[in-house]
Amino acid sequence: DLCYMDAEESTYAWIKQEMDSLGVPYDIIVGNHDNSTILAKAFGLEADLSEGVLFYKRTWENWTCLFLDTAVKTLSNNQLEWLKAELTTIEGSNIMIFMHHPPLMMEVPFMDINHSLNNMEAVQEILLQDGRPIPIFSGHYHVEKTACKGNMMVQVTPSCFFQMGQQQEAFELDHYRIAYRIITLKPNEWRSSVHYLEG
């Protein structure tokens, strides 16, 4: 999520200014507190937003990275078809996916029960049929967590706001240490690490 509760153009403008000032390339995906159309306009992203969703791909070295939109808690039919088509045409085994909602249950009861991806089974079916190892990076759950199923390895990055407890079905605050993830890509391998700061 780039916004706190509701999408605001002024928030996106401030984030874009800060990101641009770093002088490094970056890409953006939306979370459930974002608005795909407003975000795309603010960041000058060229994409088919006819259905109000923002998804696209980028290539780094020999890695193909797919960026998906789960802002409305589901992967749209257009995205599912696009994902199938992309996996069919991508050569080699270096595929990586970025999406806000993880496509697996993560054993965080409050989030799994109340805020998980609505059509994760449909997403899993497409990815499992592909067979190649696919690392998937998500957020949303306010925890650091890894889960694997078949060829999928899902890594959830902690929040930049607060972290949740992982034991209770009711909402439970764990701590206010915030975090970011570094992903290092090499021609046929990758590394990932989470780094915490005091919140």
Side-chain angles (χ1 to χ4, degrees), residues 4-140:
Y4 170 54
M5 289 300 290
D6 299 314
E8 295 182 356
E9 191 171 350
S10 59
T11 300
Y12 295 141
W14 180 82
I15 293 172
K16 183 178 188 305
Q17 176 182 312
E18 294 297 309
M19 295 298 292
D20 289 348
S21 72
L22 298 175
V24 296
Y26 62 90
D27 286 293
I28 299 286
I29 62 170
V30 295
N32 55 293
H33 291 288
D34 293 310
N35 179 289
S36 305
T37 303
I38 297 173
L39 182 146
K41 180 180 176 184
F43 283 88
L45 299 176
E46 295 181 7
D48 179 7
L49 288 162
S50 57
E51 290 191 333
V53 290
L54 176 65
F55 56 98
Y56 55 97
K57 73 176 178 180
R58 296 281 188 265
T59 302
W60 294 307
E61 300 291 337
N62 60 341
W63 283 88
T64 300
C65 299
L66 306 179
F67 297 82
L68 304 177
D69 184 336
T70 64
V72 294
K73 205 176 175 181
T74 189
L75 214 65
S76 65
N77 288 333
N78 267 8
Q79 285 187 90
L80 292 173
E81 292 302 317
W82 179 80
L83 180 59
K84 282 185 201 174
E86 287 297 327
L87 292 175
T88 300
T89 58
I90 294 171
E91 297 180 358
S93 59
N94 293 344
I95 302 167
M96 190 170 281
I97 293 176
F98 295 87
M99 57 193 296
H100 184 64
H101 291 69
L104 295 176
M105 293 295 188
M106 301 302 297
E107 294 190 1
V108 181
F110 175 76
M111 294 301 287
D112 282 342
I113 293 167
N114 300 294
H115 300 290
S116 59
L117 185 67
N118 284 335
N119 62 342
M120 69 169 58
E121 293 83 5
V123 179
Q124 290 176 22
E125 182 180 356
I126 292 171
L127 297 177
L128 290 170
Q129 285 179 352
D130 184 79
R132 291 172 287 188
I134 301 179
I136 302 164
F137 294 94
S138 299
H140 186 54

Side-chain angles (χ1 to χ4, degrees), residues 147-158:
C148 296
K149 181 176 181 179
N151 59 323
M152 298 183 292
M153 175 183 281
V154 179
Q155 298 208 45
V156 175
T157 300

